[in-house]
Amino acid sequence: MEKLKYADLTDLHAHTDDNPALDEKAGTTAALCEWAIGLQAGDVPPAVLARVKHLILDGLACGLVGGHVPWSEQAAEAIYGYEPPGYCSVIGYGDEALGPLAAAILNGAFIQATELDDYHSMAPLHSASVVVPAILSAAQFLSTGNGRSKDKPTRKVSGLDFLLAAIVGFETGPRVGLATGGGELLVRGWHSGAIFGCPAAAVASSRLLGLSADKTESAIGIACTQAGGLMSATYEGMIKRVQHAFAARNGLFGALLARNGYVGIKKVFERRYGGFLSMFSKGTNRSPPYDVRRVVEELGTTWQIFNIRVKLHACVGGCHGQIEAIAKLQAEHPERFASEVLGKIVSIKVGLSGPIFAHDGWAPHERPLATTGAQMNAAYIGAVQLVDRQVLLAQFADSTLNRDDVWALVDKTSCFHDTRFDQPHYGCGARVTVVFDDGFTVEGVVDQPRGFDPPIQDEEIKEKYRKLAASAIADQARIERLEKLVLGLEDLEDMSEIFELLALPTAKVL
């Protein structure tokens, strides 16, 4: 029998002077931690401070709406059934507080519950659903739960503390994602944001908890060794809603352990054997497979925060270009796309980027789809835009998922990989070609859906917040007060009122 041959591990552990992208001695993880703990308000441009406040507001709006949709209520019922009471508030659930990790799970699941939360256009990630739940729990740990430790008294958490923690988290997630190839993880079936959201939550939590750079590095290592998330969650079930919340919990868990001196993996980004970037880039065709430099490249000068996009449609961000391409065709050819003549459509072809085609271009394998699958399926999303001329939460209610007029169009839709959209920042664009029974053919192309260049303006984010909040909260004064507090975070001495406003009960919206 031929002797088994093992790969030569010498080069695997060697310092690669010839390829700085893979340099195990780059000091990248430590450099990120030093920046995160050292960042001061004066280091952050006013435009970044303003944008992050609005991104937090957008995430909280999604959480207010998401807490009482059916799948969120089922998650809450299960978790409240086994978790003991705690001191961290859960959005919309009154006095039913939980421990920090359980609260982070539910709050993250609520923010991600309706597919209305933000997304990054180069490194697919829902930042608010990862970072905000982690630092909400960390802040309440400091102000309430920390009192269990006699040598570590409770303290107030200021809005500025919270804001700076959010900034380092919002910067970290996309950078780690870019270092692994961005959408490459989606192509290979990983839920990308649930993976590189772990270090984002760890850095944000560590910053808020006041950890040293060394302990922050441990927190990142603890978070990264828990990272995971399977994209087969797209098709059915409810667990996709919770996977970004796993990252929030994992990062917070890492920071809470490291705070007490527990040592995690060091150099977790640089390590070639079993390192975060090395392992999650396995199977890629890229050369080099990952680039450790991108984690800290232009850190503090180029802000990834401005590549976090705000959603205007209640579905996966990768299909927003498709929605807008169809809307464009509807406006240009009103007689062809009138409701009564949609049956004359023979075929619909949708061209998508490689990651989005892998993620959302699949042919439905059953009818009806679950809500999760419907919000992740390009054919279904396009069909509801054709029929309803909008893609909002109502389009994904159980009562709407099995309509014959929608499924007739779903069955006529096929998706393909269009390399045009593999360009930077084109990943959420689409090409839609519609053929009618008389041979008439129209095509619409959107390279970048609305909100890329220019991005959604802060005033528009406020309008989105107000609409979403009003659907879940009857008390207008509460809506206005929460908005005022969040948009004035840098001047807020104590976050307690925000915790209280978020915890007050909210209504069902679906």
Side-chain angles (χ1 to χ4, degrees):
M1 179 181 293
E2 184 180 356
K3 185 178 180 180
L4 289 175
K5 296 180 180 179
Y6 292 91
D8 183 1
L9 298 182
T10 303
D11 183 61
L12 184 65
H13 296 289
H15 173 45
T16 52
D17 292 313
D18 59 328
N19 196 338
L22 308 178
D23 187 358
E24 192 168 19
K25 296 184 178 181
T28 303
T29 314
L32 174 67
C33 296
E34 291 285 355
W35 174 80
I37 65 122
L39 185 71
Q40 301 298 313
D43 302 328
V44 183
V48 174
L49 286 171
R51 191 62 171 181
V52 171
K53 288 186 293 185
H54 285 83
L55 291 173
I56 293 170
L57 187 70
D58 185 68
L60 294 178
C62 295
L64 291 169
V65 168
H68 286 286
V69 294
W71 43 96
S72 292
E73 290 186 332
Q74 285 190 259
E77 182 181 2
I79 290 174
Y80 279 117
Y82 65 78
E83 284 284 347
Y87 47 82
C88 292
S89 56
V90 176
I91 298 172
Y93 277 74
D95 295 329
E96 299 180 84
L98 293 170
L101 300 182
I105 283 285
L106 282 181
N107 288 331
F110 295 171
I111 293 173
Q112 233 276 289
T114 60
E115 293 299 329
L116 282 164
D117 55 329
D118 63 58
Y119 65 103
H120 191 278
S121 57
M122 294 282 287
L125 166 75
H126 302 291
S127 295
S129 64
V130 168
V131 172
V132 172
I135 58 178
L136 280 173
S137 285
Q140 291 185 275
F141 168 78
L142 289 174
S143 63
T144 309
N146 194 24
R148 293 180 175 182
S149 302
K150 294 180 180 179
D151 60 329
K152 297 175 182 176
T154 59
R155 69 172 176 84
K156 293 181 180 179
V157 175
S158 72
L160 184 59
D161 290 338
F162 192 88
L163 188 54
L164 291 172
I167 288 171
V168 298
F170 284 171
E171 281 295 303
T172 297
R175 290 173 173 279
V176 175
L178 290 170
T180 60
E184 282 284 327
L185 284 178
L186 284 179
V187 173
R188 287 179 282 118
W190 290 110
H191 194 178
S192 54
I195 291 169
F196 45 76
C198 291
V203 169
S205 300
S206 297
R207 167 67 194 228
L208 194 61
L209 293 172
L211 304 194
S212 66
D214 184 61
K215 287 185 175 180
T216 300
E217 187 167 0
S218 279
I220 293 173
I222 296 166
C224 284
T225 198
Q226 302 174 79
L230 300 176
M231 214 52 257
S232 54
T234 287
Y235 302 115
E236 64 271 311
M238 302 174 180
I239 197 61
K240 192 266 179 189
R241 316 297 189 178
V242 187
Q243 289 181 173
H244 275 70
F246 293 160
R249 176 201 60 193
N250 295 345
L252 176 63
F253 178 66
L256 290 172
L257 276 185
R259 181 176 184 267
N260 206 47
Y262 198 89
V263 180
I265 299 170
K266 298 301 179 77
K267 300 182 180 180
V268 73
F269 295 138
E270 301 97 296
R271 291 294 186 194
R272 300 184 68 201
Y273 175 69
F276 183 89
L277 301 181
S278 173
M279 295 311 297
F280 281 112
S281 63
K282 297 294 185 188
T284 182
N285 293 320
R286 297 168 62 93
S287 182
Y290 61 92
D291 189 342
V292 70
R293 298 169 297 181
R294 300 209 68 177
V295 175
V296 293
E297 188 175 58
E298 298 180 343
L299 193 59
T301 56
T302 297
W303 297 88
Q304 288 298 322
I305 283 160
F306 292 116
N307 292 323
I308 296 175
R309 312 301 178 183
V310 175
K311 285 187 180 180
L312 298 176
H313 310 290
C315 68
V316 62
C319 287
H320 286 204
Q322 174 196 1
I323 294 167
E324 294 178 19
I326 292 172
K328 181 180 176 183
L329 292 176
Q330 289 172 316
E332 292 173 350
H333 306 278
E335 73 290 345
R336 289 282 181 171
F337 290 95
S339 297
E340 63 272 15
V341 296
L342 291 177
K344 295 181 178 295
I345 293 175
V346 173
S347 69
I348 305 164
K349 293 184 178 180
V350 181
L352 302 165
S353 69
I356 301 306
F357 173 65
H359 187 18
D360 310 308
W362 45 278
H365 48 81
E366 61 183 18
R367 173 184 173 181
L369 291 169
T371 299
T372 302
Q375 288 180 299
M376 300 287 123
N377 182 256
Y380 186 90
I381 290 165
V384 295
Q385 172 61 32
L386 286 165
V387 172
D388 297 336
R389 295 179 175 265
Q390 64 179 22
V391 182
L392 300 176
L393 191 54
Q395 274 64 55
F396 302 99
D398 285 345
S399 59
T400 68
L401 294 174
N402 201 26
R403 291 178 288 166
D404 289 338
D405 52 354
V406 170
W407 279 91
L409 295 169
V410 170
D411 292 339
K412 295 175 182 178
T413 302
S414 60
C415 300
F416 65 96
H417 176 200
D418 189 329
T419 57
R420 174 191 181 94
F421 304 109
D422 292 339
Q423 302 177 61
H425 297 296
Y426 276 44
C428 297
R431 181 193 308 274
V432 177
T433 306
V434 181
V435 179
F436 294 85
D437 58 5
D438 61 357
F440 184 78
T441 301
V442 293
E443 182 175 272
V445 177
V446 169
D447 289 328
Q448 297 177 332
R450 188 178 167 211
F452 276 63
D453 187 16
I456 299 298
Q457 298 301 300
D458 290 346
E459 283 299 319
E460 295 175 277
I461 296 176
K462 284 191 282 191
E463 286 301 314
K464 177 185 172 185
Y465 161 79
R466 292 165 187 166
K467 289 178 181 178
L468 292 182
S471 70
I473 299 172
D475 182 359
Q476 184 61 29
R478 176 185 170 194
I479 294 171
E480 292 174 0
R481 181 61 177 163
L482 182 58
E483 178 184 328
K484 182 177 180 180
L485 290 172
V486 172
L487 297 184
L489 275 172
E490 68 271 39
D491 300 317
L492 187 63
E493 294 184 1
D494 184 358
M495 289 283 294
S496 297
E497 188 178 356
I498 289 181
F499 305 149
E500 293 167 3
L501 289 171
L502 289 173
L504 290 173
T506 52
K508 292 178 181 287
V509 299
L510 189 66

